[in-house]
Amino acid sequence: MPLEEYLAIEAEKVQHIAVPTVFTWIVSPTVIYGKHQIREQEVNEAYCEAHDIRVVQRQSGGGCVYADRGNLMVSYISPSTHSQEVFETFLRMLAGALNNLGYPAVSTAHNDVIVGDRKVAGTACYTTPTGTVVHASMLYDVDMEALEQAITPPVEKLEKHAVASVRQRVRNLRETKDLGDINVFREMMEREIEKAERLVIFDLDGTLLNTIDDLGYACNHALAACGFPTHAIEEYPRLVGNGVRKLIERALRAGGVEPEEKITDQVMEEFVPYYNAHNCDFTRPYEGIPDLLAALKAKGCKLAVASNKYQAATEKIVSHFFPGVFDAVLGERENIPRKPDPQIVRDIEAKLQRDKVPSTYSVLYLGDSLVDKATAENAGVPFVACSWGFVAREVLEEAKCEHIIDAPQDMLPFLQ
């Protein structure tokens, strides 16, 4: 914990942590209680004193834990101040590593990790102005008798606070699968965490590809075909976002036409076939994007596209410009809510998980719009905004996007 606090303090001084940092540690017998807990209500002081068990308070909240040389402590320091996002990433990392070692681990809504019906790891966190610190206490070969006694207050306090038996709720991982002693387990976990699968989700329009000309020409064609005013192509960046239908509604309204459902449907009927035939005429990848994708593939990352463009066009454009690059490509689909609803992120994860335990990927989302920012936040995954797309950097800054990059290669440090 002192190392965590030192790194957090140093991060505050330099005002930036470039990449997440993870490390493991092992302690001699210690009771660690949360920042907001009352020591006398959580700790059996007499037992701890008699058995030479240290008692310390940590910076984070959460419950009281006992740790000894059968525990593996895992710390994760992230550049994100969105604590729930960090929790999601950390829990995916832990659950994924344990599953790869043969433990059927899943995370819970309470930010714990369980195997079967028993808890094997608890987590807690605290935030600084520049990041978040999360730590886990993982039970591998803990002295369960000491655990129960050390964090069970005397009987009168037990009755007063109705504390349940600890042993009924937790188990040692070694009981499920014996991988050797704690040092062997530690080495194996570190290797699995280091090679944890990463999933990078990209927005399409304004992030991977500059599609504005083809969208603008298609929309103008459809508007003109229906007898409505058209717009200069330079006006279209402020009209796009939230899918084709929303684009048409905005274009109609910008021309002084109320976008009633029947009128919008009429323009859509003209737009779709024209755009299907011409959606690769002027569209091009942004400079540096092909190199970024190649670098991420070389790192072993899974890559996905999450777009509000309708599915048929999304698939065609991605396969045209990036054949064989992406592991999942999802756009707007019938009866599925559009971004910023997080369903598209969940569907991408489900598509890639196959027979794995859900939510074991470490996910990062790159997009150019506030819709993308909201999508990532709603899905509980870290977000990086790019300034080369359809939304000006000043707008991204005003919206308090925590991480903004100005060139595709600037994405790489987030995945080291």
Side-chain angles (χ1 to χ4, degrees):
M1 287 188 296
L3 178 57
E4 287 179 356
E5 294 171 23
Y6 169 77
L7 291 173
I9 290 169
E10 288 302 303
E12 290 181 35
K13 287 181 180 178
V14 300
Q15 294 298 301
H16 182 64
I17 303 175
V19 296
T21 300
V22 62
F23 59 92
T24 65
W25 41 295
I26 295 173
V27 297
S28 57
T30 307
V31 169
I32 309 168
Y33 64 101
K35 180 178 182 179
H36 306 295
Q37 292 185 303
I38 299 173
R39 176 169 173 157
E40 65 175 6
Q41 294 178 358
E42 303 295 333
V43 183
N44 187 334
E45 299 273 9
Y47 182 88
C48 290
E49 184 175 351
H51 293 80
D52 196 25
I53 298 172
R54 294 179 300 170
V55 180
V56 298
Q57 187 173 30
R58 61 177 181 267
Q59 291 292 321
S60 58
C64 183
V65 299
Y66 168 83
D68 59 24
R69 294 191 178 278
N71 275 77
L72 182 63
M73 314 297 282
V74 185
S75 297
Y76 182 69
I77 302 173
S78 168
S80 173
T81 57
H82 296 288
S83 60
Q84 192 55 45
E85 287 182 9
V86 177
F87 259 131
E88 290 276 351
T89 298
F90 183 61
L91 288 169
R92 284 188 182 98
M93 182 173 62
L94 289 186
L98 287 171
N99 273 272
N100 289 340
L101 292 178
Y103 299 101
V106 295
S107 58
T108 73
H110 299 291
N111 299 320
D112 296 326
V113 178
I114 63 172
V115 171
D117 61 348
R118 299 291 184 92
K119 177 177 173 179
V120 298
T123 62
C125 85
Y126 62 95
T127 58
T128 75
T130 57
T132 302
V133 177
V134 191
H135 35 225
S137 175
M138 187 173 295
L139 306 174
Y140 180 69
D141 193 19
V142 177
D143 182 339
M144 285 294 183
E145 179 66 25
L147 182 151
E148 182 170 358
Q149 294 296 328
I151 63 175
T152 302
V155 174
E156 62 272 16
K157 290 178 181 174
L158 191 65
E159 292 174 349
K160 178 179 178 182
H161 297 283
V163 179
S165 171
V166 175
R167 188 171 290 172
Q168 293 177 353
R169 297 181 284 115
V170 300
R171 70 151 49 97
N172 275 315
L173 284 161
R174 199 170 187 178
E175 296 175 18
T176 303
K177 184 176 182 179
D178 189 346
L179 297 178
D181 65 22
I182 185 66
N183 293 311
V184 174
F185 175 71
R186 179 183 188 177
E187 290 176 3
M188 297 178 76
M189 279 294 294
E190 287 178 346
R191 283 200 299 270
E192 291 302 325
I193 289 172
E194 184 177 355
K195 69 179 184 180
E197 287 189 284
R198 294 178 173 89
L199 167 60
V200 185
I201 300 177
F202 293 84
D203 171 53
L204 183 61
D205 300 67
T207 302
L208 291 170
L209 298 170
N210 186 346
T211 57
I212 203 67
D213 286 2
D214 285 332
L215 286 168
Y217 287 127
C219 195
N220 278 346
H221 167 83
L223 290 170
C226 296
F228 300 122
T230 60
H231 308 285
I233 296 301
E234 293 75 19
E235 295 181 36
Y236 274 94
R238 67 182 180 85
L239 301 178
V240 296
N242 303 93
V244 169
R245 190 174 187 87
K246 185 61 69 174
L247 164 64
I248 290 171
E249 290 176 356
R250 291 173 181 149
L252 285 167
R253 190 172 285 112
V257 180
E258 183 60 31
E260 298 175 3
E261 184 175 357
K262 183 177 180 180
I263 293 174
T264 303
D265 288 344
Q266 180 185 2
V267 179
M268 279 282 291
E269 288 176 6
E270 295 290 339
F271 178 97
V272 171
Y274 183 91
Y275 188 66
N276 285 345
H278 297 279
N279 54 27
C280 295
D281 289 359
F282 297 100
T283 290
R284 295 291 182 271
Y286 287 100
E287 183 178 356
I289 285 294
D291 291 339
L292 171 63
L293 298 178
L296 294 179
K297 294 291 279 189
K299 286 177 173 287
C301 296
K302 296 289 186 181
L303 305 181
V305 171
S307 177
N308 271 343
K309 190 189 299 294
Y310 58 95
Q311 184 69 26
T314 300
E315 289 178 346
K316 178 189 172 185
I317 294 171
V318 171
S319 64
H320 177 83
F321 289 102
F322 310 111
V325 171
F326 285 92
D327 301 286
V329 177
L330 292 183
E332 182 184 21
R333 294 152 293 152
E334 189 174 357
N335 299 323
I336 304 295
R338 294 190 301 270
K339 299 185 298 184
D341 189 283
Q343 186 61 47
I344 194 167
V345 174
R346 300 292 178 239
D347 289 346
I348 286 170
E349 290 182 292
K351 182 178 178 66
L352 295 178
Q353 292 292 161
R354 297 186 180 92
D355 59 345
K356 296 181 182 178
V357 174
S359 298
T360 59
Y361 281 107
S362 175
V363 183
L364 191 62
Y365 189 116
L366 177 67
D368 73 307
S369 73
L370 302 188
V371 172
D372 294 312
K373 177 178 184 290
T375 304
E377 289 175 352
N378 291 338
V381 301
F383 175 67
V384 177
C386 63
S387 66
W388 58 79
F390 301 157
V391 178
R393 196 182 214 283
E394 307 82 74
V395 175
L396 298 173
E397 290 172 347
E398 289 173 5
K400 301 189 185 317
C401 290
E402 194 166 358
H403 306 295
I404 305 174
I405 60 175
D406 299 313
Q409 64 265 27
D410 295 340
M411 183 77 168
L412 292 174
F414 290 93
L415 292 144
Q416 290 179 354

